[in-house]
Amino acid sequence: MAIKDMPTEECMLPGNASCPGCPATMALRIVLKALGKNTVMTVPACCTAVIESLYPNTSFDVPVMNIAFEAAAAGASGIEAALRQLGQKDTTVLAWAGDGGTYDIGLQALSGALERGTNFIYICYNNQIYSNTGIQRSGATPYAAWTTTTVGGKTEFRKEMGDIIRAHHIPYSAQTCISYPEDLYAKVKKAKDIHGPKYIEILAPCPPGWRFSMDKTVEMGRLAVETGAWTMYECENDIMTFNGKSKLILDKKIEKKPLEEWIKLQGRFSHLFKPKRDEEKLKLMQQHIDQIWERYRKCP
Amino acid sequence: MTMMIDTGNYIAAKAAIMARPAVVAAYPITPQTTVVEGIAKYVDTGEYKGEYICVESEHSAMSACIGASAAGVRTFTATSSHGLLLMHEMLHWAALARMPIVMCNINRVVGPGWNIWADQNDSISQRDTGWIQIYCSSNQEIFDTVIQSFKIAEHEKIILPVMINYDAFVLSHTSMPADIPTQKEIDDFLPAYKPHWKLDVNNPITFGNIIAPMSYYKVRKAMQDAQEHAKTIIPKITKEWEQTFKRNHGGLFEEYKTEDAEFILISSGALGAESKAAIDELQKKGLKVGLARLRVFRPFPTEEIIRLSKKAHLIVIDRNISIGNEGAMFNEIKAALYQKSDAKVIGYIAGLGGTDVTYKDIEKMCEKAVRGKTKTNEWYGLRED
């Protein structure tokens, strides 16, 4: 669906407390357009808990239950069970968490909820850091990225959350990026109509966290996809389908851009270029991306 | 009414389903396991028609109960020891979010080393979470207290979660008879839950977002006020139960033979029940010792303790220890009396790690206290071998 055809109804109200150029609000605005007002949301500790605004105000026009950092998926399980008992079977339960709350501290509860078949949508907006606490490394932080806890650059590669999710064999999982709102809208809409656990991860380039200008959020997301650093796909009943530029890259209809085109624009990687180019690390990072794509090409 | 002869855990499971919670979320841990197994059986037989979420941890059990409670339904869970400790963060969350969740906690030793016997350090270490804490001394009391606890938790002047504590094995796995009212009688006493607020798509409100210091200060005061209200509401509810079912295990305390007492023993849980036999023996010997079995530890019954101290000196047995200080009940009882009473307070630590405490032991402790021979905060029965 084209942006102009999306519902004009806004469930994110004006006056939220996000940073300028924040990808989380851009994504959530589209997500809530796709889900509509018959949605109950739970939010663990993450930037969105701040974006909601200060009590007694709120910037959300759907009911929201805040919950502890590691507890979003478990809280959602409780909400979903209660709504079923109350006969509200058509209400969507949305858990909305960051990458820290998903890849790391919330992984156990998420895995449990997926395994139990909880009928909900879990969305991870992934800005590849603990941003709410002030830019610390997470399991989603890429290799060599500077954070306040990886001062010389991260020495490990990020974990492949998509692989972990797919090992649960849930009816629907997908990856998308804030730079492609039509793709995001379509995926959320599709997830809404599927029964059982659904997982969607949205790449969310964070201007203060990645160290780029606040007007470049969308561009940074596009470049992540075009360089293959991020992949857009859907996995329905264990069948992988790649979307948008990611499909063209997979089918070798277009070449993915060199990774360097994405990382050179981000201050968190500046130590790879100054005072002198770190050829070894740059090569290693490109190889890592290439290997991921080789694996994708072997997917069923 | 029918007679059920069963263990504390199976009787707790029976009470839990008769309270008609819409959602139960639980994780197994010894010695709570037979509570979750009991509920699973009722799911299988169709006697329990609510949702039963078999979560992957106690942290998630409490989180799921919070989610369900926020969505507007009655919820129940049960745990013990390490499970309770894993819940710690969410215990605070449930109370601060004012969720009227009811939970059984089977009092068990905290490791290491692994030990599954009775000890109250698990629940005592959760005393500052905002939960109401009740300690039971028999299987009948467990049944009655589970039903009463929903009424307490959901009372419009309370709206706080309730933790029902009882001793590992001594109660959890020991069969005793209990009168089970009919479902109709239970429904009449405990009507369907009407939430005071809930997650409602027609009235979208954000719960638990960023809060400024003064607003948070008010939240804390409101919780404290709710606990204060509970001091009068709990005895009213147990009285109401008595009118229908002809039994009352006490409001905040159960008093036993305290009429002419010169010393009053304060103990709790199964040790509190054992204390009755000790009191009988002591009184036969002509020693004027009575019993006040402490049922409710939160809210702390300060006024009741002052009242008891006006008629007698107090002997306290704690099956817990605040390491670096003293038994929690002994400590709080003394604080309650500060500048209010001249009564002596004699404290014992006993039964830690599940060591057996018989009525004979309690008799000895009391006799020694009456004779003025007890050392300050004495550890009873600790052998050097």
Side-chain angles (χ1 to χ4, degrees), chain B residues 104-325:
Chain B
C104 286
N105 175 61
I106 293 81
N107 283 128
R108 175 197 135 178
V109 172
V110 173
W114 291 120
N115 174 327
I116 54 176
W117 307 106
D119 187 315
Q120 291 175 340
N121 252 79
D122 56 357
S123 57
I124 292 293
S125 70
Q126 306 306 312
R127 63 183 164 177
D128 299 331
T129 55
W131 284 60
I132 286 171
Q133 283 199 6
I134 305 176
Y135 290 80
C136 293
S137 66
S138 72
N139 293 1
Q140 183 73 66
E141 188 178 1
I142 293 169
F143 183 91
D144 297 355
T145 306
V146 168
I147 306 291
Q148 291 165 10
S149 290
F150 283 101
K151 199 152 182 158
I152 294 164
E154 294 164 9
H155 191 285
E156 61 174 359
K157 288 198 159 163
I158 299 179
I159 320 178
L160 280 173
V162 177
M163 186 190 300
I164 300 146
N165 298 281
Y166 55 90
D167 305 61
F169 297 99
V170 183
L171 295 180
S172 72
H173 286 64
T174 303
S175 284
M176 295 182 202
D179 278 326
I180 310 296
T182 63
Q183 185 65 56
K184 166 86 173 55
E185 287 171 321
I186 299 288
D187 292 346
D188 289 343
F189 179 82
L190 180 70
Y193 174 48
K194 286 197 191 75
H196 301 274
W197 60 271
K198 63 173 186 170
L199 294 164
D200 183 358
V201 292
N202 298 312
N203 181 27
I205 295 170
T206 296
F207 294 101
N209 52 335
I210 305 277
I211 189 166
M214 185 50 72
S215 301
Y216 187 88
Y217 200 10
K218 287 178 191 169
V219 167
R220 280 300 198 192
K221 181 61 167 62
M223 287 173 78
Q224 177 65 15
D225 291 347
Q227 285 268 357
E228 288 293 333
H229 289 313
K231 285 185 189 175
T232 52
I233 293 163
I234 293 169
K236 271 187 202 159
I237 288 174
T238 59
K239 204 84 192 153
E240 190 191 329
W241 180 268
E242 185 182 359
Q243 279 158 10
T244 314
F245 301 107
K246 313 295 174 219
R247 53 175 184 268
N248 191 342
H249 310 279
L252 306 180
F253 275 103
E254 179 191 21
E255 284 190 52
Y256 183 72
K257 299 189 177 175
T258 55
E259 295 78 19
D260 306 316
E262 288 168 5
F263 285 81
I264 293 174
L265 167 65
I266 300 179
S267 57
S268 65
L271 214 147
E274 196 74 7
S275 296
K276 287 186 187 172
I279 297 299
D280 292 345
E281 293 299 314
L282 288 161
Q283 294 204 352
K284 267 189 229 162
K285 287 185 196 167
L287 293 171
K288 292 183 174 177
V289 186
L291 169 71
R293 181 175 63 83
L294 187 140
R295 291 189 74 240
V296 179
F297 183 56
R298 282 291 178 278
F300 194 69
T302 303
E303 296 77 7
E304 290 279 289
I305 286 162
I306 293 169
R307 183 181 62 76
L308 293 171
S309 77
K310 298 290 181 193
K311 42 182 190 181
H313 299 299
L314 305 177
I315 305 163
V316 185
I317 303 178
D318 271 292
R319 196 171 211 164
N320 64 77
I321 172 77
S322 177
I323 295 290
N325 195 12

Side-chain angles (χ1 to χ4, degrees), chain B residues 326 330 334 347 374-379:
Chain B
E326 54 199 8
F330 178 54
K334 285 190 298 173
T374 312
K375 290 181 213 137
T376 310
N377 211 26
E378 187 169 314
W379 290 55

Side-chain angles (χ1 to χ4, degrees), chain A residues 37 49 52-55 57-58 61-68 70-71 74-75 77-79 81-82 84-86 108-109 116, chain B residues 22 49-51 53-57 59-60 63-64 67-68 70-71 73 89-90 93 200-201 204-210 212:
Chain A
K37 289 200 168 179
E52 288 163 7
S53 303
L54 184 71
Y55 169 87
N57 298 311
T58 182
D61 208 13
V62 293
V64 179
M65 179 183 80
N66 284 279
I67 192 125
E70 65 279 53
S77 289
I79 294 171
R84 190 150 14 106
Q85 284 281 312
L86 293 168
Q108 174 182 316
R116 290 191 300 272
Chain B
K49 292 183 174 57
E51 303 286 330
I53 313 176
C54 295
V55 284
E56 80 299 328
S57 72
H59 195 281
S60 285
S63 301
V73 302
E89 179 191 27
M90 303 320 288
W93 199 284
D200 183 358
V201 292
I205 295 170
T206 296
F207 294 101
N209 52 335
I210 305 277

Side-chain angles (χ1 to χ4, degrees), chain B residues 325-372:
Chain B
N325 195 12
E326 54 199 8
M329 290 174 188
F330 178 54
N331 180 257
E332 297 203 13
I333 286 165
K334 285 190 298 173
L337 300 185
Y338 180 65
Q339 292 188 344
K340 301 275 188 197
S341 172
D342 296 325
K344 279 191 280 187
V345 186
I346 301 121
Y348 282 101
I349 300 290
L352 300 190
T355 49
D356 202 16
V357 183
T358 65
Y359 75 90
K360 279 280 171 205
D361 294 317
I362 298 168
E363 207 185 313
K364 279 183 200 161
M365 282 187 255
C366 290
E367 224 174 308
K368 198 172 171 188
V370 169
R371 296 208 178 109

Side-chain angles (χ1 to χ4, degrees), chain B residues 18-29:
Chain B
M18 289 187 84
R20 298 188 192 271
V23 175
V24 173
Y27 186 80
I29 180 169

